Amino acid sequence: MKKVAIVGVGHSRFGNITNMNLNELAWTAVKQAFEDAGITQKDVQMVALSNVGGWSSEPLPAISVNEYSGLTGVGTYRIEAACASGSAALATAASFVSSGSADVALVVGVEKMNESPTPTAVELIGRSGNYFWEFSMFGLTFPGYYALYATAYMDKYGASEESLAAVAVKNHYYASFNENAAFRKRITVEDVLKSRPVAWPLKLLDSSPITDGAAAVVLASEETARKLTDTPVWLAGIGYGSDTSNLSKRPDFLGLRATRKAAAEAYKRAGVDPAKAARNFDVVDVHDCFTIAEILAYEDLGFAKPGQGHLLAKEGETYKGGLVPVNLDGGLKAKGHPIGATGVSMAAEITKQLRQQNPKERQADIVKGMGLSHNVGGTGHYAYVTVFSLNKPGW
Amino acid sequence: MTIPREELEKMVRSWLDMVEEITRNEGLPVIPAEKTGDPLWVDVRELRLKYLIPISRVKRFFDGLKEGKVYATKCPVKNVFFFPPQADCPYCMDENLEWVEIDGEGVLLTYTVVNVKPASYLHYPDYVVAIARMNEGFNVLCWMNVDDVSKLKIGTKVRLVVKRREPEGFLTYYLEPV
């Protein structure tokens, strides 16, 4: 297997973007990624496009983005793994490069959720579980699914609404330094507690927003990466997992099995000691679509013991200078969560962190040269964990 | 907030009328975005989706609802329950699953109140969705009828009942505190 590196990244502004359509938005990210990598369209041999769609008008976004970006003719397809689509696209493109099928591959994540009214977007994300038995019959929403986990977790471990709110406060704080973030306003625990409930016990400020946005990364084989850059960011290990479509078929609601499996695989491939997982990484992006999701991620990734993730949040251990800095870009919570773009945005963010290219307030100290992204699709229906490294993987 | 369906259709209709008037006057279906004022093209095409979903292989489940019963399927070889019911056992490749009436008693595992509702549920008041572990060992997810949700406790004993869902009128199952 060939080694694969990220050699270029691009990122649009995230938010309710009314002055760009899907193709234009994707192009802003693709253009930056090309410039960052120092390549042109003729160098790209494969495009993996991540988009969930439904709320937006183009049904074949891989083709329309290719055309708009001057990539017509290059092999492509749309990849769907709900909110983990971006990481699924990254994993797919990485396989093309590691197998030698492509020397340079482009990963694009783009979503235009605001092309439909909010109740329609709420409807379509709510349908992203088991449609027939859990949405059509019982109208579960995206926050509703995670609220089922929050209720069970808070009851079992005595986690408070304040601890959950601490996650939102941290992520809004870091988003205030991220020019691409949807929400740049800092908030307090009181703001979160006072915000209206969306699916009790989760409130509006526990939740990531309906977002438009795009991100892109260029992947290259070792030989090409060395020609393009002095600081390739290597994909040291990717792990995958899934869980039942019906939430009712899961044994408990205290953590995500898909994440645990994906993390175990990624750690093994990257040679990370799972017993001291947090100590391996300078910076981590986790999938905080809701505050409870970030707390579950701490435990499922092995940063905290079961039942102790909420304490990590409460004690501020995931700020810079703590046990492990998490979501220094503002996370899904405050940077925004354009579904198909999120995983690609995480890869772009960790790359820039490892290259030390972020504003100092939200730039992690890079000592070990390792970062991680954790991207969940649906409510733990899919999970991808990716380990990034400045050091060429030993495998 | 509950918005009756007729009310919702009236709101959509009046918005579409406004867009049509703009189109007639200006020659283009273009409106300003609420916050930014950026021009937005209102799609002239509209799609109505209503799926036709085959249920013949689990028809017994729906027949059961008519009798006020809730059925699961069970693989006699692997002794595994399936709920929601499925017709095939993927573990032993068997398709001769047994239909078993659920005992109907269980314990509340978790719940939420859906406050911000999807478009197709706007005509309902806020609803409680709960998951219970039934005596047989599998879980059921459905709406829960409860007088005061603030007093609801995980671990509460619950039972499954079949009722019509109004205003839509179809038979489905609910959890209730015992």
Side-chain angles (χ1 to χ4, degrees):
Chain A
M1 254 179 27
K2 293 189 177 192
K3 293 175 175 59
V4 184
I6 295 178
V7 295
V9 301
H11 203 291
S12 82
R13 185 168 63 83
F14 278 10
N16 182 350
I17 295 172
T18 52
N19 64 352
M20 270 189 273
N21 70 20
L22 183 134
N23 295 331
E24 294 158 352
L25 193 57
W27 170 242
T28 61
V30 171
K31 183 182 171 201
Q32 281 177 31
F34 281 175
E35 286 168 354
D36 188 36
I39 63 162
T40 63
Q41 285 86 346
K42 65 173 177 17
D43 300 309
V44 177
Q45 288 150 1
M46 183 265 175
V47 181
L49 185 123
S50 165
N51 172 265
V52 171
W55 31 64
S56 55
S57 51
E58 284 299 338
L60 305 183
I63 295 302
S64 67
V65 168
N66 250 22
E67 179 196 298
Y68 196 86
S69 307
L71 287 159
T72 295
V74 180
T76 186
Y77 38 74
R78 178 174 77 94
I79 288 173
E80 181 282 310
C83 320
S85 301
S87 292
L90 182 76
T92 305
S95 297
F96 270 76
V97 177
S98 69
S99 68
S101 300
D103 195 38
V104 173
L106 174 68
V107 186
V108 187
V110 61
E111 209 72 69
K112 274 293 288 170
M113 300 178 76
N114 285 296
E115 273 191 25
S116 289
T118 298
T120 306
V122 171
E123 169 105 15
L124 288 169
I125 318 176
R127 290 178 174 217
S128 299
N130 187 276
Y131 173 73
F132 185 71
W133 293 103
E134 297 193 350
F135 180 84
S136 180
M137 298 284 178
F138 304 115
L140 265 172
T141 58
F142 189 30
Y145 287 114
Y146 272 97
L148 292 169
Y149 277 85
T151 307
Y153 181 92
M154 291 164 83
D155 180 73
K156 168 95 174 174
Y157 298 123
S160 62
E161 293 184 52
E162 285 81 358
S163 292
L164 267 64
V167 171
V169 171
K170 170 179 68 71
N171 293 352
H172 274 258
Y173 170 76
Y174 285 119
S176 72
F177 304 110
N178 184 352
E179 60 176 10
N180 286 325
F183 296 143
R184 303 197 58 193
K185 198 175 128 239
R186 293 185 201 169
I187 57 169
T188 64
V189 168
E190 290 70 39
D191 292 333
V192 182
L193 298 184
K194 276 191 304 194
S195 63
R196 66 188 168 96
V198 293
W200 183 92
L202 298 179
K203 294 166 282 294
L204 187 66
L205 289 177
D206 284 300
S207 316
S208 56
I210 288 168
T211 313
D212 307 322
V217 302
V218 177
L219 302 182
S221 65
E222 181 175 359
E223 195 187 353
T224 303
R226 296 284 184 206
K227 286 182 204 154
L228 291 170
T229 178
D230 294 331
T231 51
V233 171
W234 303 96
L235 297 178
I238 305 180
Y240 333 94
S242 72
D243 207 332
T244 59
S245 166
N246 281 286
L247 248 66
S248 66
K249 294 195 176 181
R250 300 186 186 174
D252 65 55
F253 302 92
L254 303 169
L256 299 180
R257 291 188 295 186
T259 296
R260 290 178 211 141
K261 178 175 177 289
E265 281 181 19
Y267 291 167
K268 193 173 174 198
R269 289 184 181 126
V272 167
D273 177 3
K276 294 180 279 188
R279 302 281 172 203
N280 291 281
F281 304 110
D282 293 320
V283 62
V284 167
D285 255 18
V286 307
H287 197 90
D288 59 323
C289 47
F290 299 95
T291 51
I292 182 68
E294 177 158 330
I295 287 171
L296 299 180
Y298 296 161
E299 299 177 16
D300 294 331
L301 293 167
F303 302 164
K305 292 201 171 72
Q308 296 187 359
H310 64 111
L311 301 175
L312 226 55
K314 194 175 161 188
E315 289 156 14
E317 285 289 348
T318 49
Y319 279 86
K320 269 175 68 175
L323 172 71
V324 58
V326 175
N327 291 339
L328 301 188
D329 54 357
L332 284 61
K333 172 67 204 78
K335 178 183 61 177
H337 182 24
I339 308 290
T342 288
V344 188
S345 165
M346 287 174 167
E349 163 67 12
I350 299 297
T351 299
K352 290 189 83 170
Q353 284 284 353
L354 292 176
R355 293 179 184 165
Q356 306 190 57
Q357 289 175 320
N358 284 321
K360 66 174 188 320
E361 296 87 350
R362 65 176 207 85
Q363 172 63 53
D365 298 329
I366 303 304
V367 178
K368 300 149 219 163
M370 293 256 273
L372 173 142
S373 75
H374 160 250
N375 192 192
V376 174
T379 314
H381 291 96
Y382 309 82
Y384 287 78
V385 172
T386 308
V387 176
F388 304 82
S389 178
L390 288 174
N391 309 308
K392 197 173 90 172
W395 43 263
Chain B
M1 193 174 61
T2 313
I3 310 175
R5 276 188 291 191
E6 305 73 44
E7 200 64 32
L8 202 65
E9 267 160 41
K10 235 187 269 174
M11 286 159 67
V12 172
R13 190 64 256 165
S14 92
W15 188 79
L16 289 173
D17 286 347
M18 177 202 74
V19 175
E20 197 180 329
E21 202 185 317
I22 291 172
T23 313
R24 288 280 149 220
N25 291 341
E26 307 290 330
L28 295 172
V30 174
I31 61 163
E34 215 173 286
K35 282 187 186 143
T36 58
D38 288 329
L40 299 173
W41 176 277
V42 182
D43 196 352
V44 185
R45 308 295 150 220
E46 201 180 319
L47 188 62
R48 174 173 276 206
L49 283 174
K50 204 168 176 71
Y51 301 114
L52 302 173
I53 302 166
I55 56 160
S56 60
R57 298 193 64 219
V58 288
K59 186 168 173 291
R60 179 76 182 271
F61 175 82
F62 296 97
D63 291 342
L65 291 181
K66 286 189 180 177
E67 301 158 14
K69 295 172 179 171
V70 184
Y71 285 99
T73 51
K74 188 182 177 188
C75 172
V77 182
K78 297 283 180 186
N79 216 19
V80 182
F81 281 98
F82 294 98
F83 191 88
Q86 63 183 59
D88 302 285
C89 178
Y91 307 112
C92 67
M93 310 291 195
D94 201 341
E95 54 185 70
N96 297 312
L97 299 194
E98 294 169 357
W99 285 93
V100 187
E101 188 187 344
I102 299 181
D103 162 69
E105 304 268 317
V107 171
L108 184 64
L109 287 185
T110 189
Y111 63 98
T112 179
V113 186
V114 176
N115 311 108
V116 173
K117 284 156 283 186
S120 64
Y121 280 82
L122 288 175
H123 58 295
Y124 282 107
D126 292 1
Y127 42 89
V128 177
V129 181
I131 301 178
R133 171 83 30 94
M134 307 315 286
N135 285 346
E136 291 89 343
F138 57 81
N139 301 337
V140 170
L141 178 150
C142 61
W143 283 13
M144 181 152 183
N145 294 323
V146 52
D147 293 333
D148 185 357
V149 70
S150 69
K151 291 191 180 136
L152 199 54
K153 293 258 180 297
I154 285 176
T156 298
K157 286 193 173 168
V158 292
R159 85 174 139 246
L160 206 55
V161 294
V162 174
K163 283 186 179 165
R164 275 185 198 266
R165 169 83 59 76
E166 300 298 354
E168 283 156 352
F170 67 97
L171 287 163
T172 186
Y173 44 100
Y174 292 80
L175 288 166
E176 287 180 352
V178 173

